[in-house]
Structures are given as structure tokens and as C-alpha cells.
Amino acid sequence: MTARSFRLPRIPVWIWYMLPGLLVYTAFMAVPLFKSLQLSLYTGSGFQIDTFVGFDNYRRLLTEGEVSQRFWGAFGHTWVFFAVHMIVQNSLGLLFALLLSSEAIKGRALYRTIIFIPATLAIVVTGFLWKLLLNPQWGAVNLMLEAVGLGAFAQPWLGIEGVSLVVISLVSSWQWVGIPTMIFLSALQAISGDLFEAADIDGASSWTTFSRIKLPLIWPMMGVVAILTFTNNFNAFDVVFAMAGANGPPNYSSDILGTYFYRVGIAGEHPVGIPDMGLGAAVASIIFVVLFVGVLVMRTVFQSDGTDD
Amino acid sequence: MKTLRNALIALVLIGLVMPVFAGGQSESNAAAQGGGDVTEITFGSWRVDDVDQMNRLIAAFNEEYPNIAVVFDPTTPPDYNATLRLQLESGIAPDVFYARSYATGQELFSEGYMLDLSDEAYVSERYDDGARAPWQMPDGTQFAMPLVAVSHGVYYNQDLFDELGLDIPQTWDELMNVAQQIKDAGYIPFANGLADEWDIAEVVWMNIAPGFLGGRKARLAYEAGERPFNDDAMVSVFEAMASLTPYLPDGYQAINYNDSKALFLLGEAAMWFDGSWTISEFEASNPDFNWSVFAPPAPTADAQAITFHPDAGVAINPASDNIEAAKTFVEWLSGPTASQILGNELAGFFPMVADAPTLTNEHANDFLALNNGRDLDVRFPWPKLMNGDPSGYTLIQQGSINVITGNITPQEAADQMEAGLSQWYEPAM
Amino acid sequence: MAAVQVRGRRIGSHIILSVWSILVLIPLWIMVINSFKSKLAIYRSPFGLPDQWTLDGYLSVFSRSSFPRYFFNSIAITTISIAGIIILASLAAYAIARWKSRVSTAVFLFFLAGMMIPIRIGSINLLMILRNLGLLDQLIGLLPIYIAMGMPIGVFVLTEFMRTVPPELTQSAYIDGAGDFRIFWQIVLPLTRPAMATVAIFNLVVLWNDLWFPLIFIRSESQRTLMLGVTRLFGQYQTDWTLILSTLTVATVPIVLLYVLMAKQFIAGLTAGAVKG
């Protein structure tokens, strides 16, 4: 007791500045995360998760009938969801950034403002709005296709297996394209104008300027964007929930890890609604591991390539 | 320029805060009445659409019991089970609440979240054995008082049927024939779609199944393991589901329950499989719309059966601070005044009391009339097939969707049902 | 030759950018314009101006007793959480920037790890923690979670910013005999205001728009946030598009308007998570 009270003043003063934030962060973020890993080894009903079952929840998820079928489905769909964002959202972002970085374009500020608007909307709002627009009977999308003579392409977009997931991913890309645009734009604008002038004098084509000068300089930013896309997509839930529902219809084809986690660990399956929290925790732990490994891998990929040149 | 912008920002912020002050007024009106010592109890439910009707019911209650204020606090149906469970587990649940029948209710009772009502005289006196059964444990313990049942049928647009000179179909073949004529006339035969998933299971499959399977007796035989879940009758239900495909709206894969309602209300679709709970909504949104309802057609006319499903019971929260007041309210709900108001205010929800009141709502009576001379049963999977993984509900739902889209054959859907249920349902193993 | 090429390229750029702008604006236009139509008119003619303007949707949004409540709840929880994040994060950031040691670097990295790993994964345990604290189904229960959620980005942005504060400024104050806290309060904090704006805006958008935590923790009508209210309205038993579109518009307009007025700060805020190379 006395020893401790002697030591007290010796605690560096900065600890006291850090402590409140650190405590809240630890108690409500770090601890729940790690407890989730632990919880995944238990089973029970409702909040009484107290029977230790080892890796049984993981065995069920990875190998057992219906459960594993849903899990692997959701796992695969999450990668598709991620891939569409990487390809569509990030390429468009890069394209817009390249266009906007040219001094000669008038109205840059206006374009920039508009491109970024969707990013400020709530994901649920975007989801509900697009759900209405994609409605097969009254939705604007199909009516527009008909108006321009492409009525044959009108589809029940959210009702077809395989199509639905891609459409949802595209809507989500529509929403978030402003983020990579701005990141790339700030990287491009940081590139010194001298470089381009020099290239211009050398008579370099615009492709050469892009691939030889701009690309290597924004390569590290691509890493940032890729990691950001990755973490956001493996964590996604709202957009599928709003557009398709917690089951990821049709036939679970737009079910992603976020919706699966919600169904299994939190809400329970309709209409009985009894969650299996141990199994849910196992899903969460797998998401955790995928994110952790994925981010590490991406960091090395983009860092090493960036320093090679 | 800068001041202008700041002024605008300020304006937006004010706009943000304004509703807050506007909102203050609507708070406490429930406790305002009746001076003296007022006990307040909350009444949980999944009927978000019934707030006005329930408040009239509560007003009638307060004429007799001015000292018990009842606050009706509903949650949307898809969230109700999870919500209630969370509230019960964290000790903030309503004092009196709607109880789901069968497995979902039993689960809550066995965890201690419902008061045992076995000894309440009014429950056993005012309700038949059949009405009480859905809210009993296997040993007969009564965990909730029956309140209302819902019916199912096929809504149809009377004006359109008259215009096209169509008769009410009795058999499934006749239904298909009628559907074809409607389609030829340029209308959508059935308003139903697949997007929300629950409705294809609850209001289509479970609506028509008793007529194909052989009603209540057949369900008991399936449950006892005497009939396999992939016998010919079961296959024929899925065949009927598959035969609907050409008569659903364009883009039916993404048509949700709300779209279906709108298609039917706008007169674009001539028929709609649904339950009696939609009556009051239709009457409210388009009072001039001329519609009625017929019994779900079956393979033969005399095989027709109606799904008359025990929908809502009322349970008391044992952790309530006002159990006596809660009991008073629940007992009153079983009485004649309440039944009269329930049946007429909540058109489409039928009071389950033994001496049911006469109803004044025409559409509600249309539904009730379907019961005459037909076998009645509850929704097929509810009594026994819900409490496992995969549940009978999920198998019916996914099977229906997949046969309608042509992903699998009706035989495969029935086989999947047998295979899925035999994983956990003992009589089927 | 080259001039023609450049002009051609410029026109091409304009075409691409304006097509995308239209793609962004049309859905929003449809949302706003249809919210002024009557219930059935939306089905009959989803585009174009309404034949008859109606405010029914908006009137029922605000006359529904609970909607103003949702608004109030969202404003309250968002504001208080942001204040909490800024206070706690700037204290921690000051410590990390001011006292360099192995421990403070470790703490900094510990905070940064939170930027990569979504807190949602811990939801089941958060559910249990809140239950044990008796904070389930209470708006205030979201507060510690939102603060924890905002800490990583807050600490990161503020630390980076505080490191750029010239040491001469604090040193001279130190020599004048000012205490640590006074230096922090009177010198460092005022200088970090732009960074605080970034943190505030980032969290404003994230917290205002959050659905997940209200969805799993909040049940009662009186405790709901705006996004949860919107989701519930969209529930399965509703057919009223006018009401729903009015609701979506009401939920969206405040943030979008703020964004249009303060675009620069918003963009800085929302891309802040990625600034670190």
C-alpha cells in the first residue's frame, strides 16, 4: 500500500492526458473485439453463452451442411462485392481524378462537389433510394431504358441471382467513388508542375505522361485506396440490408459476411428470431482474421512496389 | 460572401434544431387523464398500423378502469421477436405484450419471460381448448391468453372480374384458367412477388397448402412422421407454386409486398394472395375500390381448406412492477366489450373468444364466411417445424422461391424439405 | 494539331464528368420531386414535376409524433459524441505528440489499429457490456461506443497536426512558467482548430448516418435515431412512397446542404482516414 502511494507521483504526467481516451477506447473497442474471439469458443442460448465447445463453432461454419453453405456463400459474395468496388469505384475514381487535375477544365470545383455528394448520404438512404429506382414496375431505371428504346434490357435488377449482388455493389460504388477521387486528386496535385512541363517539352504523349510520371507517383495512394476499400467492404452491411434485406435475397445470392453475421449472431433467422451468439462470434473472428491478414498483405504489396522504382 | 455563407450555415443548423422544439409537445398524453393514483402499464405489439384503433380500445378500457393508463408501444413485425427478446433480457420489456404462438412463444416462456396464466379462470372459461392450444407448453401450461386469429384467402378485384365476366374459381385448374383469361385481357393475374420472401411463404404457400395436403388431419400425420415430407401431396403444393410463374407481374423476382399491394390497389393486378390483416389498410387508402376475397382453390372443390391462424396472444411480463394492473387489463381484453371493439376496429383480426361477437365490417365478414363448410388449419410449419435448422419455414420459403424461378423442380423442393427436416425433426428422422 | 487534340481531350473530359454528374443528380432529383407528389401519382408518373404539389409527405413526417424525436435524438447523440471524441482525442494526441517515448508510440499504434478493424465485429460483446451496464435500449448507451469508434481517427489526425506546431511556441511559454495544461489549453488547442474541424466532420457523417448500432441496441420508439426511424418506416407494412421519400429527403438534406456550403472541409474530413501513406 505505502509502496504504491510512493510511486504514484512518479507516473509521468502525460499518462493522465492519455488515460480517459485510452480507457474508453479499450473498454468499448479493444476488449469487445478480443472477447469476441473468446466467445467464439462457447455456445449457449440467448445471453447465456457459457458452454465451452472448443472450435466446434468454426467446424460448423466451415464444414456443416446448411450453416457452412451459407457461410461460404457469404464469404464468396463479399469478395465479389470487394472486387466490383476495386474495379469500378477505384478506376472511376482514378479517371475522375486525372480529368479533374487538369488545370484546363472549367468548372472543376463544381464537378468535384457533385462527385462527392453521394459520399455524404447515409448508406441506408442510398440503398432505399436506389431500391425504389430499380423497382421493376415503377422504377426510374427501367422506365429510362424503355424511353431510350432499350426496354428489352429492363430487368428485375434486385431479383436475379448473381445480378443483384453486382447491382448492389455498383450502387455502393456510386456512393463512394468520391473518396478515391479526392485521394488521387490530392496526390496528383502534389506532383510538381515542373515534371509535366519537362515531359511536354520532351513531347511525351499523354499515355506516357500517365504511365511514366503520374502512375508511379500515385502508386502508394493506390495502396491506401485498396486498403480502405478492403476494410470497408469486409465490414459492409447497410447497403445490402437496405436494398435486399437481411437474408440477402434472392436465394441468399447477395448475402455477404455483414448480413450473415447480423442474422446469425444478432437478430436470429426470421420468423423465430433466436440468435446463436457463439456462432456469430466465430463469424466475427473470421472477419477479423481476414481483415488483419488482408491489410498486412496489401501493405507489403504496395509498399514494396512503390520503392522499387 | 463569407458572411452570406455563414448565414446559410447558421440557417441550416437552425433548421436542424427546429424540429426538436416542435417535438416536445407530443410526449405525454397517456398519463394525463384520470387524476388520482394512475398506474401506467405499457402494451407491446407488432401491429404498428393499429395505433389509432388500439387507442380507442384503451379509451373504452379506461371508462371502466380510469386508474390504469395503458400505453400502446408497437414495433414493426419483422423486428418484433428480436426487440421483445432484447427488452425482456435487459429488463425493459412492456408489462403486457403480444405473444407469438407456438415455438417462439414457448421459447420465451421456458426462459421465464412470461407469467403462467394456467390458473386464470377467464382464460379457460372464455376460450376453447383449440383456441388455447397455440399458447400452451407441451405439458399444457398456458403462457399467454389467446387474442386474435388471422385468415388467408385470395383477394380479387370485383369490378375487373365483372368486366371480364369471370366466375370465382373453385379448383386449381379453374384458377389457372381464370388467370390466363386475365392475362389475355392485358392485366396482371396475381400481384404477388418474391422480393420480401416472407410473403411468398406465409400468404401463398401456407395459404394454399391445406387444400392440397388434406387440411389439419394431414398436417398431424406429417408431424407424427406418418407421411414423408416429400410425398405426392407435398410435391403437388410446389407444383401449384410453380404454375403461378407465368401469371406473376413482370419482374416478380424483385416485386415486394408493398409493390404487390399497390399493383392490386391500382387495378393493374386482378388477384392477390394475402391475409385478412390488410383489410383496414385497403379500406383506408382507397375506400371506393371494389374488392372481395375467395377461398384458395384446391385440386378439387371439396378439398378446399382455410388457413385460420392463431396470430396474437397476450402475455404478462413476470418482471412487471404492476402485475395486478396488467392482469386486470388482460382479463378485460377477454371480455365482451373488448372483443366487440377488437373485432370491428381491427378488421381482419378475429377475436378468439368462444362466443365471438358479430362483426360489422363487410370485408371481415367476407373472410369469416370462407370458414363455413371448410376445414380450418393453422399455418403448416408453425406448431412443430420451426424450432430447428433448417426450419420448415425456411425450407418452404426457399423451396417456393426456387420452384417459381425454375431453379429446382417441385420434386426437388419437396425432397429438400424432407432432407432438411430429417436433419433435426425426430419423427422425420 | 496539338491544340485541336487538347481541345478534343477537354471536350471528352467534360462529357465524362457531366454524364457522371447527371448520374449523381438524377436519383436525388427523383427523390426530392416525388416527395411532393400524391401517393398514387408516384406510381403513375415517377419523373417530372408533380401535377399537383402536395406537402402531405412532409406534414405526416413531422406530425408523426415520433419523428421530431428521432431528429432530436440524432442531433443529441451526434453532437455529444463528437464533443467527447474531440476532447478525449486531443488530450491523448497532445500527450503522444508532446512526450515522445516508446510507450506513447505504442499507444499511438494501438489507436491506429482501430482504423483498420471495424468495431462492429465486437458487437455481440458490446451488446453484453451494455446489458450489464443497464444501457441497452438507451440512446446514452451509444455514447461510449461512438467515442471509442471516433478515437482512432481523432487521435491520428490531431497527433499529426500537433506535431507540426512549432516547438518554439510551446518552449517560450514553458520558459514563461506556464504549466503543461495551460500550454495545451491556451496555445496548442487554438492552433489545432482546423484539424478538429476535420475530425468533427468525419465523425459527423459517420455517426449521423450510422444504422448498425441503433439497429441492434435501440428498440424503443423514444430512443430511436433518425436512420433507425427511416429504416423502420421502410418496414414491410408500409406502402406510402410519398411519406418515405419525404423522410429520405428530410434525413438527407441537412448534411448535403452543410456539405455544399463547406465542401472543402467535408472533403478534407472524409478523406482524412486515408491521408497516412
Side-chain angles (χ1 to χ4, degrees):
Chain A
M1 226 23 225
T2 42
R4 194 184 283 174
S5 51
F6 263 116
R7 226 179 274 156
L8 198 67
R10 278 211 239 151
I11 293 175
V13 63
W14 52 265
I15 289 284
W16 302 111
Y17 288 81
M18 246 177 223
L19 214 54
L22 198 58
L23 278 180
V24 176
Y25 175 74
T26 310
F28 288 90
M29 189 148 176
V31 170
L33 274 174
F34 284 98
K35 282 230 166 173
S36 269
L37 297 174
Q38 191 191 350
L39 191 70
S40 69
L41 304 178
Y42 289 79
T43 194
S45 82
F47 281 103
Q48 301 300 313
I49 315 288
D50 40 21
T51 316
F52 182 79
V53 289
F55 287 92
D56 193 56
N57 287 322
Y58 292 95
R59 183 193 58 77
R60 287 172 62 203
L61 269 187
L62 303 179
T63 63
E64 192 184 276
E66 191 92 356
V67 175
S68 72
Q69 198 186 330
R70 296 279 160 272
F71 170 76
W72 286 115
F75 188 77
H77 300 149
T78 309
W79 284 102
V80 173
F81 190 74
F82 168 60
V84 173
H85 282 84
M86 278 302 274
I87 296 166
V88 177
Q89 172 197 292
N90 295 344
S91 313
L92 277 180
L94 183 58
L95 173 68
F96 294 155
L98 287 170
L99 299 180
L100 289 173
S101 66
S102 152
E103 298 282 336
I105 299 289
K106 270 187 200 145
R108 287 194 303 165
L110 182 63
Y111 286 131
R112 203 185 55 195
T113 305
I114 293 175
I115 288 171
F116 204 75
I117 285 179
T120 65
L121 305 178
I123 307 180
V124 245
V125 170
T126 313
F128 287 145
L129 179 59
W130 275 97
K131 186 178 177 176
L132 300 178
L133 297 173
L134 291 164
N135 185 295
Q137 289 280 334
W138 300 285
V141 172
N142 283 357
L143 291 174
M144 280 184 186
L145 286 174
E146 276 159 34
V148 295
L150 293 172
F153 291 96
Q155 296 289 331
W157 300 103
L158 296 174
I160 305 172
E161 276 181 49
V163 175
S164 149
L165 178 63
V166 174
V167 170
I168 295 172
S169 316
L170 289 175
V171 167
S172 172
S173 303
W174 173 86
Q175 168 153 32
W176 297 119
V177 72
I179 303 268
T181 305
M182 294 310 150
I183 294 174
F184 289 135
L185 188 59
S186 64
L188 285 170
Q189 281 168 343
I191 299 173
S192 144
D194 297 351
L195 272 175
F196 297 126
E197 266 171 43
D200 251 4
I201 294 164
D202 291 350
S205 73
S206 50
W207 171 249
T208 331
T209 332
F210 172 71
S211 63
R212 293 281 169 76
I213 302 177
K214 294 182 184 172
L215 195 60
L217 283 169
I218 56 176
W219 181 254
M221 278 298 152
M222 288 197 175
V224 171
V225 168
I227 291 177
L228 211 61
T229 313
F230 180 72
T231 48
N232 285 337
N233 286 318
F234 269 78
N235 178 31
F237 163 78
D238 307 42
V239 69
V240 176
F241 181 74
M243 291 183 73
N247 274 353
N251 204 10
Y252 302 103
S253 66
S254 57
D255 194 17
I256 57 173
L257 287 173
T259 46
Y260 183 67
F261 172 54
Y262 176 73
R263 273 205 325 280
V264 169
I266 301 203
E269 299 271 358
H270 181 79
V272 180
I274 301 168
D276 185 341
M277 292 191 167
L279 194 65
V283 178
S285 305
I286 292 176
I287 300 178
F288 180 84
V289 171
V290 171
L291 278 174
F292 198 78
V293 174
V295 169
L296 281 185
V297 168
M298 284 187 176
R299 285 207 92 124
T300 19
V301 167
F302 283 96
Q303 263 169 6
S304 66
D305 280 28
T307 47
D308 269 355
D309 284 314
Chain B
M1 192 55 205
K2 199 156 189 192
T3 35
L4 178 70
R5 209 187 60 180
N6 287 343
L8 277 171
I9 293 174
L11 220 71
V12 174
L13 290 173
I14 291 169
L16 267 169
V17 181
M18 274 306 277
V20 175
F21 299 108
Q25 72 219 14
S26 53
E27 289 297 295
S28 52
N29 49 1
Q33 52 205 329
D37 273 354
V38 175
T39 314
E40 187 181 288
I41 57 173
T42 43
F43 183 16
S45 163
W46 57 79
R47 291 296 306 165
V48 278
D49 298 334
D50 297 342
V51 177
D52 295 342
Q53 292 90 330
M54 277 298 178
N55 285 336
R56 285 197 284 273
L57 182 80
I58 291 164
F61 171 70
N62 282 333
E63 280 174 23
E64 291 174 52
Y65 299 93
N67 290 327
I68 302 177
V70 182
V71 180
F72 185 63
D73 179 25
T75 316
T76 46
D79 309 307
Y80 182 72
N81 296 0
T83 303
L84 181 65
R85 168 168 285 275
L86 196 67
Q87 289 176 332
L88 288 165
E89 279 167 347
S90 43
I92 46 166
D95 304 276
V96 178
F97 51 87
Y98 269 36
R100 301 274 190 197
S101 45
Y102 302 111
T104 318
Q106 289 170 352
E107 179 86 18
L108 286 179
F109 177 77
S110 48
E111 290 177 34
Y113 293 130
M114 288 170 170
L115 201 66
D116 183 351
L117 300 181
S118 306
D119 297 332
E120 303 295 326
Y122 53 90
V123 179
S124 40
E125 281 163 16
R126 293 179 185 164
Y127 298 90
D128 296 337
D129 292 349
R132 289 203 309 270
W135 291 277
Q136 283 172 347
M137 299 303 288
D139 66 1
T141 311
Q142 193 77 37
F143 58 79
M145 184 185 85
L147 189 68
V148 287
V150 293
S151 189
H152 300 71
V154 186
Y155 285 65
Y156 71 100
N157 180 331
Q158 275 180 313
D159 291 340
L160 199 58
F161 264 57
D162 290 346
E163 184 191 317
L164 301 177
L166 300 171
D167 291 328
I168 302 300
Q170 302 296 325
T171 66
W172 193 262
D173 290 339
E174 285 171 24
L175 180 71
M176 290 294 107
N177 193 0
V178 164
Q180 186 61 48
Q181 290 180 52
I182 294 168
K183 195 179 180 182
D184 293 343
Y187 295 95
I188 301 165
F190 301 105
N192 299 79
L194 305 183
D196 280 339
E197 300 199 312
W198 68 268
D199 48 340
I200 202 72
E202 292 179 29
V203 302
V204 188
W205 196 97
M206 296 175 205
N207 191 349
I208 66 171
F212 283 83
L213 299 176
R216 177 181 150 83
K217 239 185 287 168
R219 173 173 60 79
L220 295 175
Y222 283 110
E223 286 170 359
E226 291 157 17
R227 285 172 68 166
F229 289 100
N230 57 350
D231 64 359
D232 290 346
M234 191 60 78
V235 176
S236 73
V237 185
F238 285 107
E239 276 167 355
M241 294 301 290
S243 67
L244 293 173
T245 309
Y247 304 118
L248 299 177
D250 283 344
Y252 63 85
Q253 299 96 323
I255 294 282
N256 61 36
Y257 187 69
N258 291 336
D259 296 336
S260 301
K261 273 184 198 166
L263 281 173
F264 185 70
L265 259 185
L266 289 170
E268 292 181 23
M271 297 181 279
W272 183 38
F273 292 94
D274 195 36
S276 56
W277 55 84
T278 310
I279 292 178
S280 47
E281 200 189 320
F282 275 7
E283 288 176 346
S285 40
N286 193 354
D288 303 328
F289 182 52
N290 193 9
W291 60 272
S292 187
V293 61
F294 60 79
T300 59
D302 55 0
Q304 283 181 3
I306 299 293
T307 306
F308 198 76
H309 186 75
D311 190 47
V314 183
I316 297 174
N317 181 355
S320 162
D321 293 331
N322 300 305
I323 291 199
E324 284 316 311
K327 278 186 176 171
T328 309
F329 180 59
V330 171
E331 176 167 7
W332 182 82
L333 282 177
S334 71
T337 322
S339 303
Q340 190 70 35
I341 299 173
L342 274 174
N344 287 310
E345 288 280 356
L346 306 179
F349 291 88
F350 305 100
M352 296 182 74
V353 282
D355 51 344
T358 44
L359 303 182
T360 51
N361 183 291
E362 183 201 341
H363 289 119
N365 281 322
D366 287 349
F367 263 105
L368 268 191
L370 301 181
N371 290 358
N372 295 332
R374 292 189 181 87
D375 190 14
L376 303 186
D377 195 21
V378 303
R379 290 183 188 151
F380 186 81
W382 247 257
K384 303 260 183 189
L385 306 179
M386 299 291 250
N387 234 355
D389 196 18
S391 73
Y393 184 96
T394 306
L395 291 163
I396 287 169
Q397 184 180 52
Q398 296 305 321
S400 301
I401 292 168
N402 283 324
V403 295
I404 289 175
T405 53
N407 271 352
I408 58 173
T409 65
Q411 182 69 51
E412 282 167 337
D415 289 346
Q416 285 177 6
M417 201 156 143
E418 168 69 15
L421 288 172
S422 55
Q423 281 176 31
W424 62 271
Y425 183 61
E426 290 196 5
M429 280 179 176
Chain C
M1 239 336 251
V4 175
Q5 232 179 29
V6 168
R7 190 181 302 158
R9 220 189 295 154
R10 221 180 288 159
I11 292 173
S13 305
H14 274 296
I15 291 176
I16 295 174
L17 291 170
S18 24
V19 165
W20 186 261
S21 302
I22 291 170
L23 274 178
V24 168
L25 295 177
I26 282 191
L28 298 175
W29 163 258
I30 290 178
M31 169 176 88
V32 175
I33 207 67
N34 279 308
S35 66
F36 291 105
K37 290 179 188 167
S38 76
K39 225 163 143 181
L40 295 179
I42 292 177
Y43 291 114
R44 301 218 163 92
S45 62
F47 308 110
L49 295 171
D51 301 333
Q52 257 187 325
W53 293 74
T54 165
L55 287 173
D56 285 357
Y58 293 94
L59 291 178
S60 43
V61 167
F62 285 103
S63 63
R64 273 179 171 257
S65 57
S66 32
F67 219 84
R69 179 89 221 175
Y70 303 158
F71 242 104
F72 173 76
N73 287 347
S74 274
I75 293 170
I77 191 67
T78 311
T79 331
I80 299 173
S81 304
I82 290 176
I85 291 166
I86 289 189
I87 293 169
L88 297 189
S90 52
L91 282 171
Y94 181 55
I96 293 166
R98 167 95 170 65
W99 290 277
K100 290 189 183 91
S101 76
R102 235 177 250 159
V103 181
S104 67
T105 314
V107 171
F108 185 56
L109 290 177
F110 179 54
F111 275 122
L112 282 198
M115 283 170 68
M116 291 300 165
I117 292 151
I119 192 168
R120 274 182 194 178
I121 294 175
S123 299
I124 294 176
N125 283 92
L126 283 172
L127 201 62
M128 294 175 168
I129 292 174
L130 287 197
R131 178 171 164 262
N132 294 339
L133 293 175
L135 289 176
L136 264 192
D137 197 24
Q138 294 192 35
L139 195 62
I140 199 78
L142 295 173
L143 184 65
I145 298 172
Y146 281 170
I147 292 181
M149 238 168 101
M151 284 308 286
I153 189 83
V155 168
F156 168 64
V157 171
L158 292 170
T159 305
E160 298 283 291
F161 202 87
M162 284 182 190
R163 279 180 180 157
T164 65
V165 172
E168 303 85 58
L169 277 178
T170 48
Q171 263 159 20
S172 61
Y174 210 64
I175 292 161
D176 291 349
D180 279 326
F181 190 75
R182 246 186 74 196
I183 296 177
F184 168 69
W185 189 252
Q186 292 186 340
I187 300 176
V188 180
L189 270 197
L191 284 171
T192 31
R193 262 159 58 191
M196 285 183 198
T198 303
V199 173
I201 284 174
F202 179 85
N203 285 299
L204 170 70
V205 175
V206 170
L207 300 184
W208 178 264
N209 291 340
D210 181 47
L211 170 67
W212 177 265
F213 288 110
L215 184 71
I216 64 178
F217 296 143
I218 302 290
R219 302 298 177 179
S220 303
E221 189 81 17
S222 65
Q223 305 295 313
R224 283 179 192 165
T225 63
L226 188 60
M227 287 310 143
L228 186 59
V230 169
T231 307
R232 294 297 184 236
L233 265 188
F234 221 90
Q236 282 173 321
Y237 290 80
Q238 299 286 340
T239 45
D240 194 339
W241 283 33
T242 311
L243 175 62
I244 281 168
L245 290 173
S246 313
T247 315
L248 295 183
T249 308
V250 169
T252 306
V253 160
I255 298 278
V256 172
L257 259 178
L258 273 183
Y259 159 67
V260 171
L261 294 172
M262 309 167 57
K264 216 183 256 168
Q265 290 90 327
F266 261 71
I267 291 172
L270 280 175
T271 45
V275 189
K276 192 176 149 58

